[in-house]
Amino acid sequence: MAQVDAVCISEKKGERKTPVSRVELRENHGIVGDAHAGDWHRQVSLLAQESIAKMQALGLDVHAGDFAENITTSGIELVSLPVGSRLQVGETLLEVTQIGKECHTRCAIYYQAGDCVMPKEGIFARVITGGVIRPGDGVEVVGVADITL
């Protein structure tokens, strides 16, 4: 079963996120207290532990939150989900709005390894139904919305 491995936040954009015991998600906003929350399509970011493991295999000492992701998952191939996929994550409902992203500035990870997984394998979502997410919560695809961004 797919699950949440970690939940992470940061006060400022452009920095690694810190794992915390729980996060509160607010509908149409994102994670309360996180720098990336707001009225836009990338309210929450997700990255699979399997993607982080690829960077660890290159010899990097990286962990949950180091790629500035809010939610680290395991057991689900996030990058293969189509835009519009709806994910039940704990008591929340998220809708995938973007797969990957363009990195305008190279991060420290890129300079250490010559590559970074977040631009290719991270996904972004907006909050449809708010609530609390904790490590150990389940992650399940519950449908695909017909959306146009």
Side-chain angles (χ1 to χ4, degrees):
M1 180 175 120
Q3 71 171 21
V4 173
D5 285 1
V7 291
C8 309
I9 60 171
S10 64
E11 291 181 10
K12 296 179 184 174
K13 291 183 179 182
E15 63 184 28
R16 293 177 181 197
K17 295 189 182 291
T18 303
V20 293
S21 62
R22 65 188 288 279
V23 290
E24 179 187 349
L25 281 72
R26 187 176 302 142
E27 183 178 320
N28 294 318
H29 176 73
I31 295 176
V32 175
D34 185 68
H36 289 91
D39 185 18
W40 69 321
H41 71 287
R42 287 176 22 189
Q43 296 170 350
V44 179
S45 59
L46 297 91
L47 184 66
Q49 177 58 43
E50 294 84 352
S51 295
I52 295 171
K54 290 178 185 180
M55 301 307 293
Q56 291 169 332
L58 294 175
L60 292 180
D61 183 22
V62 290
H63 306 281
D66 287 347
F67 295 91
E69 79 279 5
N70 294 119
I71 302 170
T72 308
T73 64
S74 61
I76 183 169
E77 194 174 328
L78 297 173
V79 73
S80 69
L81 298 173
V83 168
S85 295
R86 292 215 167 171
L87 299 172
Q88 185 78 46
V89 183
E91 59 188 38
T92 71
L93 181 65
L94 305 179
E95 185 175 270
V96 176
T97 57
Q98 184 175 328
I99 308 295
K101 68 175 190 143
E102 182 180 344
C103 272
H104 298 286
T105 59
R106 300 289 187 203
C107 65
I109 301 284
Y110 179 87
Y111 287 114
Q112 289 173 15
D115 197 9
C116 181
V117 292
M118 191 64 185
K120 293 176 274 192
E121 299 183 22
I123 70 169
F124 300 88
R126 67 184 183 99
V127 180
I128 304 298
T129 304
V132 173
I133 298 175
R134 295 174 182 84
D137 284 349
V139 178
E140 181 182 0
V141 178
V142 293
V144 178
D146 183 21
I147 64 169
T148 304
L149 292 178

